Amino acid sequence: MEEKDFAAHLTATMTGAALTMLIGVGHRTGLLAAAARGPATSAGLAERAGLQERYVREWLGAMVTGGIFTYDGREYTFPPEHAKFLLGDTSANLMPSLLTLSAFTGILPELERAFAEGGGVPRSAYGPYLETLGAKTGDSWEHIYREHLVDGFFGAVPGLADRLTAGARVLDLGCGTGNAIAVAARAFPASHFTGLDINASVVEQASENKPENAEFVVGDAAELTADPPYDVITAFDAIHDQDRPDVVLRRIREALAEDGLFFMVDTNFSSHLEKNVGNPLAALTYSISLMYCTTTSLAEDGAALGAVWGTEKASEMLADAGFRHVDVLESPRPQNCIYACRP
C-alpha cells in the first residue's frame, strides 16, 4: 500500500472508531429510535428525543457525513435500509456487537499492563463497562438463534432435526443466559435440554423463564461427567474461550453416547494468519480476540486459543479428544462454521 493510500486507510479507521462511539450515543439517548420514526430537522429530532438541539445537530453532522443518515438541506433521514442494522429484534441488528466493542475500551489500561507484566484481564473486569454502555451478555446471539438455530444451524447436519424431534438428551455447554435452549426446547418438545455454564449469574437469568423440558446448572465444563451419556452436546462460540479446551473436549467425548453428536459452532477462519489476509472479518475478530478471548484466558493461566484458533487447529484438537469423524460445514453466518463431530 502506497504512503498516501495508507494515510487514507488510517483516516478511515479513525473515522470508523469515532462513528462507533457516536452510534452508541445515539442508541443510549434514543436518537436512533426517534430518527427511525421519519425525517426531521435537527430541532424537530431534538424535540422528538427530548434532547438539546445543539448537541443533536453536531451528532447529525457526523451521521450524515459518515453515511449513516442522509440530508436534503433541511431534514435528516435515517433510511430504513440502514436502520435495520442498528435497530430491531433481528439478527441483522449489529448494535449489540457495537456496544460490546465500545465497552472493551474500558479495560485497555489493564490489557496494556498485561502486555508488559503478563497475566490477563479477568472476566469480572468487563461487567461495569458493559453495563455502563448498555451491552448485555448474549444479546448478539439471541436474535441469531431465533432466526437461524433450527433451520440454519441444526438443519445443516443431516438427521439432527429428526433425532431431536424423536427425543434426545441434549447438553448445551457454555449456555450463557439460555437463548439457544429457549429456542431449541420449544422447537423439539420431546427432547430434554440441560444448559451448563460456570457463571452463576447468567444461569440464574436463564432459569427464570425456562421451558418445561429444560434445566440450567452451574458447572465447569472441564469437570463434565454424564450418566447416562448425552445424545447431543452443543457448544456455540464457546470452546475457544475455555481455559482448558483440550480437557473440555475430552470430557465432551466421554459424556457423549457412542452414537452421539457433538455439535460445535465456532469462528470460521484459518489457523494460519497468511490465509486470513483479505478476509473482511479477520481484523475485527483478531481485535476482539485480543481484547477479550485471549486475555481472559491468560488471566486464568489458560490455553489462550483466541477466537481465531482456526479450522485446522480445531480439527486437530477434536481428533486428539477422540472424535474420529468430523465434518466442517457452512453455517448461516460467514463468520462461523459448524463442526459435526462423532466418535
Side-chain angles (χ1 to χ4, degrees):
M1 187 179 295
E2 294 185 6
E3 184 175 299
K4 64 177 182 179
D5 294 329
F6 184 67
H9 174 67
L10 281 182
T11 300
T13 299
M14 290 188 291
T15 300
L19 286 172
T20 294
M21 291 186 281
L22 290 188
I23 289 170
V25 170
H27 168 76
R28 288 183 293 274
T29 60
L31 272 170
L32 291 174
R37 290 162 52 189
T41 62
S42 61
L45 183 57
E47 182 179 1
R48 191 185 291 174
L51 300 171
Q52 299 295 312
E53 188 275 340
R54 185 65 188 92
Y55 282 95
V56 171
R57 190 182 351 140
E58 203 73 3
W59 180 84
L60 285 167
M63 293 300 103
V64 170
T65 55
I68 313 299
F69 282 43
T70 61
Y71 181 55
D72 64 5
R74 180 177 179 274
E75 291 187 319
Y76 301 83
T77 299
F78 189 16
E81 61 270 23
H82 294 186
K84 73 175 185 178
F85 292 103
L86 293 170
L87 295 170
D89 295 329
T90 73
S91 60
N93 186 354
L94 298 176
M95 184 61 73
S97 297
L98 183 149
L99 295 175
T100 299
L101 186 62
S102 296
F104 286 171
T105 60
I107 58 87
L108 290 182
E110 289 191 59
L111 181 66
E112 292 162 10
R113 174 198 52 76
F115 264 78
E117 301 175 6
V121 182
R123 293 178 177 91
S124 59
Y126 293 79
Y129 302 107
L130 291 168
E131 183 177 351
T132 298
L133 293 180
K136 297 179 181 178
T137 303
D139 275 3
S140 295
W141 277 90
E142 181 178 1
H143 308 317
I144 296 168
Y145 291 137
R146 188 173 59 249
E147 294 178 29
H148 300 299
L149 179 63
V150 175
D151 295 330
F153 285 102
F154 288 165
V157 181
L160 176 56
D162 291 339
R163 186 164 193 175
L164 295 173
T165 298
R169 293 185 72 243
V170 184
L171 171 70
D172 184 32
L173 189 152
C175 66
T177 51
N179 292 321
I181 286 181
V183 173
R186 292 184 175 92
F188 303 104
S191 290
H192 184 271
F193 296 83
T194 300
L196 177 74
D197 202 288
I198 199 169
N199 187 327
S201 65
V202 298
V203 169
E204 183 179 356
Q205 293 178 55
S207 300
E208 290 176 357
N209 298 301
K210 66 180 182 66
E212 291 185 2
N213 58 328
E215 62 179 336
F216 295 93
V217 295
V218 179
D220 186 347
E223 299 175 0
L224 175 66
T225 59
D227 186 20
Y230 291 99
D231 301 306
V232 179
I233 297 178
T234 62
F236 292 90
D237 217 24
I239 297 301
H240 70 257
D241 279 330
Q242 300 297 317
D243 295 330
R244 293 177 289 168
D246 55 339
V247 175
V248 170
L249 289 174
R250 287 198 299 271
R251 291 287 191 174
I252 291 170
R253 169 63 188 88
E254 294 165 0
L256 196 65
E258 284 304 313
D259 63 345
L261 171 73
F262 174 40
F263 180 93
M264 182 176 83
V265 174
D266 219 291
T267 55
N268 187 21
F269 296 96
S270 172
S271 303
H272 307 291
L273 172 59
E274 62 274 17
K275 294 183 179 180
N276 294 324
V277 175
N279 186 321
L281 297 170
L284 177 61
T285 307
Y286 275 113
S287 299
I288 292 171
S289 178
L290 171 62
M291 291 188 287
Y292 184 80
C293 307
T294 303
T295 191
T296 54
S297 181
L298 289 172
E300 302 293 335
D301 294 321
L305 279 178
V308 198
W309 59 322
T311 55
E312 298 92 340
K313 181 65 174 178
S315 297
E316 175 188 326
M317 292 183 67
L318 287 164
D320 289 344
F323 291 101
R324 297 293 172 249
H325 305 280
V326 177
D327 294 319
V328 184
L329 308 170
E330 291 185 359
S331 88
R333 311 176 73 234
Q335 59 266 64
N336 293 112
C337 61
I338 298 166
Y339 298 83
C341 316
R342 296 177 175 86

